[in-house]
Amino acid sequence: MNEPPANEAAPTARLPPRRNDGVTIAGATCPVCGRPFRPGGRRRFCSAACRQTAWRRRHAAAGPPVPALPPRPPRAAVVYECPRCEARSLGEQRCPDCRVFCRRVGPGGRCPHCDEPVAVADLLGSGER
């Protein structure tokens, strides 16, 4: 009942076996040294030395080390300013009146005359409010 049609030719070409490395994989060249070799399985390099060299090239250091950032001053020496009421506090990141988080102005301390928090940037004139 399930016979192929008479006008259809039977396949004459044999397909190569899918998992036979000797038939399906042709010769290759080593990406490290350029020598030809016959790969087998998942082999990509001609020798263990070339495999190691490729790994070392992939994992080589990118260049000179990145310099470390200068350390930040401790939080107790940082001036914060409330975005709502513009009140400044020293070492407190949250405004006690508005209960919102303050923005960091920079390192600073208490003014010896009025005892208010003053940022170093304010004293140097480079800080903008």
Side-chain angles (χ1 to χ4, degrees):
M1 187 108 179
N2 290 332
E3 295 179 25
N7 61 356
E8 206 174 291
T12 56
R14 289 186 59 188
L15 298 174
R18 293 177 188 237
R19 291 183 180 90
N20 189 352
D21 290 346
V23 176
T24 58
I25 298 177
T29 57
C30 178
V32 176
C33 66
R35 285 188 286 183
F37 73 99
R38 185 166 185 107
R42 298 186 330 184
R43 188 172 165 199
R44 294 175 38 205
F45 304 100
C46 66
S47 66
C50 285
R51 189 190 72 219
Q52 253 182 341
T53 302
W55 188 91
R56 287 181 180 139
R57 286 179 185 170
R58 284 192 312 267
H59 294 89
V66 178
L69 295 174
R72 287 185 121 177
R75 190 174 5 166
V78 175
V79 177
Y80 295 95
E81 183 178 59
C82 177
R84 285 192 186 164
C85 66
E86 296 183 0
R88 288 193 172 194
S89 60
L90 186 63
E92 293 185 37
Q93 293 181 339
R94 200 170 171 117
C95 179
D97 300 329
C98 303
R99 296 183 181 218
V100 295
F101 285 101
C102 300
R103 69 175 185 87
R104 184 179 193 270
V105 178
R110 296 238 175 241
C111 175
H113 301 291
C114 62
D115 203 38
E116 288 291 319
V118 179
V120 173
D122 294 337
L123 297 175
L124 297 177
S126 62
E128 294 183 23
R129 285 187 66 185

